[in-house]
């Protein structure tokens, strides 16, 4: 996918000529605490936060000299980068949004926010689809995605998402199915020695589980 698909069109930009009180007003209206600064040539200059602006003297005529999070501090991505790059960079930078620039011209395209990223991950992991969820535990050496998929499909279901979390010599596997009936799949998994940790029926949302897996992925990418 192209990262332009994740750009939040509702996030405004600041100009380097904007006065501090103007920038703070824009942030207040849009309920954000950090915004990108873009010049008249549509070049991305960096980010500035509400905290930064509050430290600027009210006598300052513009914000151009107060760009704290500049482009050398990894606050942007190019549009051809992968979604995992977004996850990794947003985690390491501790920023609520990242700028996206054109691969060739380096011109500013927009920003990806934490909200748009989480919404994308919800679709990416099929969390919006009704279906059962099974959590299993096994030794890493016995982990086989192909076998798990075969067990599920032998029971006339499909694996819509499969997520892993390594803990020592064991691995926790979360399986999202395309249907609510988990009983036959559970029996099949147990026959092959998989230990069942948790079962969630298809009529339950698993936003908490998704957040846990999201955080696990972020931690993995930080290693």
């Amino acid at each position: 996918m192209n990262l332009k698909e994740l750009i939040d069109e509702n996030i405004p930009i600041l100009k380097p000529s904007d006065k501090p009180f103007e920038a703070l007003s824009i942030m207040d209206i849009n309920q954000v605490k950090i915004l990108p600064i873009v010049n008249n040539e549509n070049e991305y200059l960096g980010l500035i936060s509400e905290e930064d602006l509050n430290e600027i003297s009210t006598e300052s005529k513009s914000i151009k000299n107060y760009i704290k999070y500049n482009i050398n501090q990894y606050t942007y991505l190019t549009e051809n980068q992968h979604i995992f790059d977004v996850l990794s960079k947003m985690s390491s930078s501790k920023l609520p949004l990242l700028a996206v620039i054109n691969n060739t011209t380096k011109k500013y395209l927009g920003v990806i926010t934490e909200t748009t990223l989480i919404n994308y991950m919800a679709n990416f992991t099929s969390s919006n689809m009704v279906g059962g969820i099974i959590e299993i535990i096994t030794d890493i050496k016995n982990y086989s995605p192909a076998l798990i998929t075969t067990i599920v499909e032998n029971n006339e279901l499909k694996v819509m998402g499969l997520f892993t979390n390594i803990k020592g010599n064991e691995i926790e596997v979360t399986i999202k199915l395309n249907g609510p009936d988990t009983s036959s799949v559970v029996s099949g998994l147990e026959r092959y020695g998989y230990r069942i940790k948790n079962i969630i029926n298809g009529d339950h949302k698993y936003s908490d589980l998704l957040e846990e897996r999201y955080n696990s992925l972020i931690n993995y990418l930080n290693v």
Side-chain angles (χ1 to χ4, degrees):
M1 67 169 294
N2 190 298
L3 291 188
K4 286 195 294 185
E5 298 174 31
L6 293 181
I7 286 175
D8 189 334
E9 302 290 349
N10 297 316
I11 303 297
I13 62 170
L14 299 174
K15 296 291 185 181
S17 58
D18 286 340
K19 296 178 175 59
F21 76 88
E22 292 174 329
L24 284 169
S25 177
I26 292 172
M27 287 183 180
D28 184 56
I29 291 170
N30 291 274
Q31 297 184 328
V32 294
K33 295 185 179 296
I34 191 166
L35 282 174
I37 301 177
V38 180
N39 66 18
N40 291 331
E41 286 72 45
N42 204 35
E43 294 175 329
Y44 170 67
L45 302 180
L47 301 175
I48 193 165
S49 70
E50 180 183 63
E51 183 180 357
D52 300 330
L53 291 167
N54 284 326
E55 293 177 357
I56 299 175
S57 170
T58 55
E59 299 178 358
S60 299
K61 295 182 178 180
S62 70
I63 61 175
K64 64 181 179 180
N65 295 323
Y66 299 94
I67 304 172
K68 183 174 181 180
Y69 303 100
N70 59 43
I71 59 176
N72 295 321
Q73 293 176 294
Y74 308 103
T75 64
Y76 74 96
L77 304 127
T78 56
E79 60 184 304
N80 66 337
Q81 288 185 261
H82 195 271
I83 186 66
F84 284 174
D85 295 321
V86 185
L87 288 164
S88 178
K89 190 167 289 189
M90 190 165 285
S91 173
S92 61
S93 67
K94 302 293 190 294
L95 293 172
L97 57 80
L98 296 169
V100 181
I101 64 175
N102 179 271
N103 301 326
T104 306
T105 66
K106 307 304 180 185
K107 298 296 185 181
Y108 174 80
L109 299 175
V111 297
I112 296 174
T113 65
E114 285 181 326
T115 300
T116 54
L117 178 59
I118 290 173
N119 287 340
Y120 173 81
M121 292 302 295
N123 291 324
F124 183 74
T125 55
S126 301
S127 67
N128 295 326
M129 176 183 290
V130 174
I133 303 162
I134 304 170
E135 291 183 290
I136 62 176
I137 301 174
T138 186
D139 295 335
I140 292 178
K141 63 181 180 180
N142 295 325
Y143 171 58
S144 171
L147 177 57
I148 292 171
T149 300
T150 298
I151 294 171
V152 172
E153 293 184 346
N154 284 344
N155 290 281
E156 300 182 351
L157 289 170
K158 296 290 184 182
V159 174
M160 305 309 299
L162 193 149
F163 317 100
T164 60
N165 185 23
I166 297 175
K167 293 186 175 181
N169 294 323
E170 293 187 329
I171 184 168
E172 293 183 359
V173 185
T174 302
I175 310 162
K176 176 64 185 288
L177 306 176
N178 67 331
D181 186 7
T182 60
S183 58
S184 59
V185 176
V186 167
S187 297
L189 290 167
E190 288 179 327
R191 282 197 299 271
Y192 280 89
Y194 291 110
R195 306 196 306 278
I196 306 301
K197 178 183 178 183
N198 193 18
I199 301 170
I200 303 174
N201 293 330
D203 58 346
H204 290 278
K205 297 294 183 181
Y206 73 121
S207 57
D208 291 342
L209 184 60
L210 173 63
E211 183 177 356
E212 180 185 337
R213 292 295 177 256
Y214 173 84
N215 291 333
S216 293
L217 176 59
I218 289 294
N219 291 333
Y220 170 76
L221 291 170
N222 280 334
V223 174

